[in-house]
Amino acid sequence: YFHEMVLDLGQPVAPVLERMAANNVSGGYDLGKVDPELKACLLICVTETKTEADLERYIEVLGKAMNSPKEN
């Protein structure tokens, strides 16, 4: 089974990952680092080591990070 997937966040990934890291959550890999056209794409991986609580926290932190006011 593949445990990796790409999420198109519809906004630049780098600031979202920074906000997630501020909440002690490793958000994934910014695909914009390898192709500028993918700057809104986030590569994530989920394995059997993650609990349902881990996944719920990830979703919560990602949602908040995406909806945070944009920095000037």
Side-chain angles (χ1 to χ4, degrees):
Y1 296 97
F2 291 96
H3 301 285
E4 295 179 339
M5 68 184 79
V6 175
L7 304 177
D8 183 345
L9 302 185
Q11 61 182 289
V13 169
V16 173
L17 289 177
E18 289 174 16
R19 291 189 288 270
M20 292 182 76
N23 286 287
N24 297 314
V25 173
S26 177
Y29 184 76
D30 179 358
L31 289 174
K33 291 181 176 183
V34 293
D35 185 341
E37 290 186 18
L38 299 175
K39 68 181 179 184
C41 295
L42 176 64
L43 177 67
I44 64 170
C45 179
V46 179
T47 68
E48 66 281 352
T49 64
K50 300 302 175 205
T51 66
E52 188 170 333
D54 292 333
L55 298 177
E56 288 175 7
R57 174 148 165 63
Y58 180 90
I59 292 166
E60 177 186 349
V61 171
L62 175 61
K64 288 180 180 177
M66 289 181 61
N67 293 316
S68 291
K70 308 297 182 261
E71 298 175 12
N72 295 328

